[in-house]
Amino acid sequence: MRKVYLDHNATTPVHPEVKQAVAPYLSEMFGNPSSIHWAGRDVRKAVEDARQEIASFFVCQPLEIVLTSSGTESDNLALKGVAFRKGNAGKHIVTSAVEHPAVMNTCRFLEAQGFRVTYVPVNRYGIVEPESVRKAIEKDTILVSIMYANNETGCIMPIEEIGCIAREAEILMHTDAVQATGKIPIDWKSFPVDLLTFSGHKINGLKGAGGLIVRKGIELEAVLHGGHQERGRRGGTENVVGIVGMGKAFSLLRTGMEEEVRETRRLRDRFEKALFDRIPELVLNGHPAERLPNTVNISFRFVEGEALLLNLDMMGIACSSGSACTSGSLEASPILMAMGADPTDAQGALRFSLGMGNTDEDIDYSVDAVEAVVGKLRAMSPIYPREAKVR
Ligand SMILES: Cc1ncc(COP(=O)(O)O)c(C=O)c1O
């Protein structure tokens, strides 16, 4: 059976050159980068070279990068690090209603610690409007945290405008750029943001490596207390394999990102157009244009997204639905609900996210499969209007 991977926003395949680059660090290059003897020195150099690669990609200083285990850890470090360091100056944080759980649940934790959080709503396209952020800012706001691009819809937030609002108010600005990294060019020098989260496994690196860019001069409370690694900002022996892999992934992006974005967008647009041309009663979730080039989220009306996902899985196609199974019933995606989507439509939503390795043949196969499965499920659906054409 053909296998088609259309879930790159969940994770990406490891680039062959990444695999090659990390191989020595799984064998002879095993030293601890903190050791000052020969076994540690070369490994330290590899970690610092990787940091330099990442810094060159973002055009930031290597020392501004804190290497972590994941996007989740970086989000935790940004939010808790600011909250616990600046808690005396203020107890209020502004974020959005569509953040990833790594930000959302950290905010809930901080609320339990006595902080107040405003969850700014999004418009019907799933985009945070800068004016809503401006209105949410209070006298004691210490941090604004708004994601750069949403993982479910791919919607791109006006981060530069929001960052300028935070700057004007002299409030720190964090953005979770886990999904945006490698798809939207970022120039840290002119970017009005103080803290930026990225993750290695979303850019064809390895799982278990991520980072937080912290603008020079900003002090954070550490979340992981331990040794002096990462200049005391994150204790723990570095995940050398993950970091070397992430450095390689960033160096590949520096030369290949433009072409990769162009090709992914071409395939995504072809996929999206074919689905809308051939299947009736579809709703595009998210903004038609202000969206990552690889993501399309569609509600297949009169069909349950989960049933569609499982049927496509049986045909070798991997994609994702934002709904969660709670106590045996399906809950529609909170992201789509925050956008004001019809709850039944939201339950019929699927996210397809493309990336390295996808081909025109994958798209042809997937469009045929989706059309066939939607037709089958609608034919069995008691809610599908019979006068509509069953396909
Ligand atoms: C927007 C966003 N933030 C954070 C994360 C968490 O990243 P990681 O899997 O590296 O912990 C993800 C992962 O899906 C994400 O999409």
Side-chain angles (χ1 to χ4, degrees):
M1 183 175 59
R2 191 183 183 96
K3 284 201 167 166
V4 181
Y5 187 74
L6 300 179
D7 203 12
H8 288 80
N9 287 10
T11 195
T12 55
V14 177
H15 195 290
E17 287 190 44
V18 168
K19 206 171 137 192
Q20 214 178 355
V22 304
Y25 300 89
L26 291 165
S27 56
E28 72 275 16
M29 300 285 276
F30 61 86
N32 185 325
S34 296
S35 300
I36 55 172
H37 50 61
W38 59 266
R41 276 196 305 272
D42 287 351
V43 175
R44 164 60 53 205
K45 181 170 182 323
V47 168
E48 296 315 317
D49 286 351
R51 195 189 306 276
Q52 179 59 60
E53 282 295 353
I54 302 169
S56 303
F57 176 84
F58 286 108
V59 205
C60 70
Q61 295 181 24
L63 289 180
E64 290 179 303
I65 296 170
V66 182
L67 297 168
T68 67
S69 68
S70 58
T72 301
E73 188 190 322
S74 305
D75 285 342
N76 270 262
L77 178 57
L79 278 99
K80 292 179 191 167
V82 170
F84 294 146
R85 181 53 69 106
K86 291 184 78 90
N88 288 337
K91 293 271 183 212
H92 182 242
I93 294 169
V94 175
T95 188
S96 85
V98 296
E99 297 297 312
H100 186 272
V103 166
M104 208 54 126
N105 289 333
T106 305
C107 284
R108 302 250 186 261
F109 166 80
L110 288 171
E111 283 181 295
Q113 306 300 307
F115 288 86
R116 295 172 353 268
V117 180
T118 301
Y119 300 89
V120 170
V122 290
N123 64 22
R124 70 187 179 96
Y125 294 117
I127 293 179
V128 175
E129 288 177 357
E131 279 315 303
S132 314
V133 173
R134 193 194 298 278
K135 281 194 207 125
I137 290 175
E138 297 181 15
K139 271 210 222 55
D140 66 340
T141 305
I142 49 171
L143 179 69
V144 172
S145 176
I146 305 286
M147 69 196 329
Y148 202 165
N150 184 268
N151 40 300
E152 276 189 39
T153 59
C155 280
I156 300 170
M157 310 297 175
I159 284 303
E160 304 214 4
E161 276 175 78
I162 296 172
C164 288
I165 290 170
R167 281 258 159 101
E168 262 171 47
E170 295 180 11
I171 296 167
L172 291 179
M173 170 81 197
H174 166 243
T175 191
D176 175 339
V178 165
Q179 296 293 345
T181 304
K183 296 173 196 129
I184 307 172
I186 297 171
D187 183 344
W188 186 247
K189 277 204 307 300
S190 55
F191 203 46
V193 167
D194 303 296
L195 303 139
L196 180 144
T197 293
F198 60 88
S199 174
H201 74 101
K202 309 284 186 180
I203 55 162
N204 308 110
L206 302 176
K207 289 155 195 70
L212 182 69
I213 311 182
V214 182
R215 199 168 286 286
K216 198 171 165 209
I218 293 174
E219 302 222 325
L220 297 180
E221 200 58 47
V223 170
L224 285 187
H225 299 275
H228 289 106
Q229 292 89 351
E230 300 302 301
R231 313 182 102 216
R233 293 176 294 185
R234 197 262 183 191
T237 300
E238 297 85 341
N239 169 10
V240 174
V241 174
I243 292 167
V244 169
M246 186 159 65
K248 186 68 192 177
F250 273 106
S251 86
L252 291 165
L253 275 182
R254 262 204 305 147
T255 48
M257 176 170 138
E258 224 175 288
E259 174 55 28
E260 176 86 18
V261 163
R262 198 175 18 248
E263 176 59 5
T264 311
R265 185 190 299 280
R266 184 186 72 77
L267 288 173
R268 191 276 312 267
D269 288 350
R270 205 163 83 68
F271 179 59
E272 186 175 318
K273 182 170 185 317
L275 291 180
F276 276 85
D277 282 351
R278 285 166 54 176
I279 309 175
E281 301 283 1
L282 305 190
V283 180
L284 177 71
N285 297 312
H287 197 280
E290 294 303 316
R291 193 158 38 114
L292 293 176
N294 76 321
T295 307
V296 55
N297 187 312
I298 298 177
S299 282
F300 295 84
R301 301 187 67 210
F302 314 112
V303 172
E304 280 226 327
E306 216 67 4
L308 189 47
L309 185 143
L310 294 175
N311 274 270
L312 290 174
D313 182 29
M314 285 192 283
M315 298 173 81
I317 298 169
C319 60
S320 153
S321 85
S323 45
C325 196
T326 323
S327 327
S329 71
L330 266 189
E331 260 180 30
S333 147
I335 307 293
L336 299 186
M337 297 313 292
M339 292 161 58
D342 176 280
T344 331
D345 286 356
Q347 287 205 333
L350 278 192
R351 173 190 77 188
F352 303 93
S353 48
L354 284 67
M356 187 184 87
N358 286 142
T359 61
D360 280 296
E361 291 72 40
D362 286 347
I363 298 307
D364 295 339
Y365 177 76
S366 302
V367 172
D368 288 346
V370 175
E371 185 183 32
V373 174
V374 171
K376 184 177 87 176
L377 293 175
R378 282 182 177 168
M380 295 188 302
S381 164
I383 55 167
Y384 187 58
R386 294 297 137 195
E387 66 274 15
K389 192 172 171 205
V390 179
R391 305 183 89 156

